[in-house]
Amino acid sequence: MKKTLLAAALALGFAGVAQAETSVTLYGILDGGIGYQQIKGDGFKTRKTGMINGVQSGNRWGLRGTEDLGNGLQAVFQLESGFDLGTGNSAQGGRLFGRQATLGLRSDAWGQLDLGRQSNIGSKYFGAIDPFAQGFGQANIGTTFGSVNTVRWDNMVMYQTPSFSGFQFGVGYSFNTNGAQRSSLEIDDVVDLSEGDRNNRGITTGIRYANGPLAVALSYEQEKLGATDVSVRAYQIGAAYDFEVVKVSAAFGQTRNGMFGAGIGSLDGSIDLSPADGATLDGLKYNQYLVGLSAPLGAGKILASWQMADPRSNPDVAPDADLDKMQVYSLGYTYDLSKRTNVYVFGSYAKDVNFLEGVKSTYAGVGLRHRF
């Protein structure tokens, strides 16, 4: 009888331990190679040949953890740090966990709630649409669809539903997209010094369907710039279908009052390639298009895409600007050496970069990627 009671007590004890089970995983990606980049236009040319890194996937290391709270509920966290493989320096402006820093709750029944720095919904849902999986530099879908190019916002609260027969919905709100949230400032009788809301506030939402060979994504992003009271908005819809012998992709979107990201930036920051010389782009409107494919070839995969950003209206600061359609042509190939290591080669050519007539960008390279 005593042995039975002792066994029962031990079983209950171990059940309690199992209920509070915690797991932490260390993971990362190392990506480096050799490449060539050149951007040239009327009166200037900038180029470099040498080491490239973070091309197929950004270099990173991270910690991912869960704790079982019982009744199907888990506490979850993810800390992810980006870095430059060539120099060892931190990326994302020097942040320790610049790629992601979130804490949340997850349930198979009601979904997941995350708090902290994280990517927007569009970036999460459009990776399955882009043949280059949001990698490979200017071949990335984000060159034209800037709002889905791993846009990361600080101070974000995000909720995502579970997947219902392939459907999933997500919504997020950032109290300040870049940096610590600031208090409002109102000074009586000193109108010139009254700043009001000094935060850039972000809204992101979207829905996706992923079931079998079909993937569809729709998202909307908005960032209200507190200093100017301008709201940059973007929506996009895309789909991909895997025929096994080839996977085809297509996407359409529109961005208004600015650009999420800078399109194609200069190689070292010495030349401003933004429309209207970097001024506020309120009034700018442009459509985005993508057609792409990927196909297995041996132990590897061929990747190809065409992108276009078509300006429909000029920014208010430059109503007479002559903005041209930016087009990007990209081709790549990846080859798996193992489940964790692959090599890749790619080339991408863009003309009328960031709507600037005659500005061309060429980017090509070969590299090695390892995941752990």
Side-chain angles (χ1 to χ4, degrees):
M1 182 67 178
K2 291 182 179 180
K3 290 182 179 180
T4 302
L5 291 175
L6 179 59
L10 289 174
L12 289 174
F14 284 125
V17 171
Q19 183 176 1
E21 182 180 355
T22 300
S23 66
V24 178
T25 301
L26 171 67
Y27 67 93
I29 296 178
L30 300 173
D31 182 324
I34 302 295
Y36 170 82
Q37 296 174 271
Q38 175 181 275
I39 300 177
K40 65 178 180 179
D42 187 14
F44 79 92
K45 179 166 64 175
T46 176
R47 63 184 176 184
K48 63 181 179 181
T49 301
M51 183 172 177
I52 55 176
N53 77 96
V55 174
Q56 181 177 359
S57 302
N59 287 293
R60 72 197 73 171
W61 68 272
L63 297 170
R64 183 188 298 117
T66 63
E67 181 187 14
D68 188 353
L69 302 177
N71 298 318
L73 184 65
Q74 292 180 319
V76 295
F77 75 87
Q78 187 167 352
L79 302 173
E80 190 169 285
S81 178
F83 61 92
D84 186 307
L85 184 67
T87 65
N89 293 331
S90 294
Q92 291 82 46
R95 290 175 170 88
L96 176 58
F97 296 112
R99 294 184 61 89
Q100 184 165 334
T102 55
L103 173 67
L105 294 171
R106 181 174 64 203
S107 166
D108 292 337
W110 57 260
Q112 183 162 334
L113 178 70
D114 288 302
L115 307 173
R117 177 175 170 84
Q118 54 194 303
S119 60
N120 62 346
I121 293 292
S123 298
K124 294 179 185 297
Y125 289 2
F126 273 77
I129 307 301
D130 181 14
F132 288 88
Q134 298 168 312
F136 293 94
Q138 72 182 36
N140 188 322
I141 186 176
T143 299
T144 51
F145 292 75
S147 60
V148 302
N149 185 15
T150 52
V151 173
R152 299 181 180 91
W153 286 344
D154 298 335
N155 310 295
M156 179 119 74
V157 179
M158 179 177 290
Y159 168 71
Q160 296 183 83
T161 68
S163 177
F164 298 106
S165 300
F167 286 96
Q168 185 178 28
F169 170 78
V171 61
Y173 182 82
S174 170
F175 293 92
N176 188 25
T177 60
N178 187 16
Q181 185 179 358
R182 305 179 68 188
S183 63
S184 62
L185 176 62
E186 298 179 3
I187 303 176
D188 294 339
D189 302 324
V190 188
V191 178
D192 291 341
L193 296 181
S194 180
E195 298 185 46
D197 191 351
R198 299 182 289 170
N199 300 294
N200 294 343
R201 300 184 180 269
I203 298 173
T204 177
T205 186
I207 187 170
R208 66 177 168 183
Y209 175 79
N211 196 356
L214 178 63
V216 181
L218 170 67
S219 71
Y220 172 81
E221 325 296 333
Q222 175 180 306
E223 185 176 17
K224 185 176 182 181
L225 309 179
T228 62
D229 204 32
V230 171
S231 291
V232 184
R233 301 182 178 93
Y235 72 87
Q236 44 275 321
I237 182 170
Y241 193 89
D242 191 347
F243 293 94
E244 294 186 357
V245 294
V246 63
K247 180 179 179 181
V248 295
S249 303
F252 169 81
Q254 186 179 93
T255 300
R256 299 187 178 196
N257 300 327
M259 300 174 72
F260 286 87
I264 297 175
S266 64
L267 300 186
D268 56 11
S270 59
I271 298 176
D272 189 354
L273 294 175
S274 57
D277 296 326
T280 300
L281 299 178
D282 191 16
L284 174 67
K285 179 172 70 174
Y286 62 98
N287 293 341
Q288 304 112 315
Y289 307 86
L290 175 139
V291 177
L293 62 86
S294 62
L297 181 62
K301 183 185 295 185
I302 295 175
L303 316 168
S305 71
W306 165 80
Q307 301 181 56
M308 182 172 70
D310 182 10
R312 312 303 291 177
S313 66
N314 290 344
D316 296 343
V317 295
D320 300 321
D322 184 15
L323 302 182
D324 285 59
K325 300 176 182 178
M326 176 172 67
Q327 301 193 57
V328 186
Y329 307 86
S330 305
L331 182 66
Y333 179 71
T334 67
Y335 183 86
D336 292 334
L337 300 175
S338 71
K339 291 183 178 181
R340 295 178 177 271
T341 304
N342 70 279
V343 292
Y344 59 82
V345 59
F346 73 98
S348 181
Y349 171 78
K351 63 179 183 178
D352 299 325
V353 170
N354 300 352
F355 317 127
L356 302 177
E357 183 179 3
V359 178
K360 302 174 183 179
S361 175
T362 304
Y363 189 16
V366 58
L368 173 69
R369 184 184 68 155
H370 175 73
R371 292 163 289 175
F372 66 88

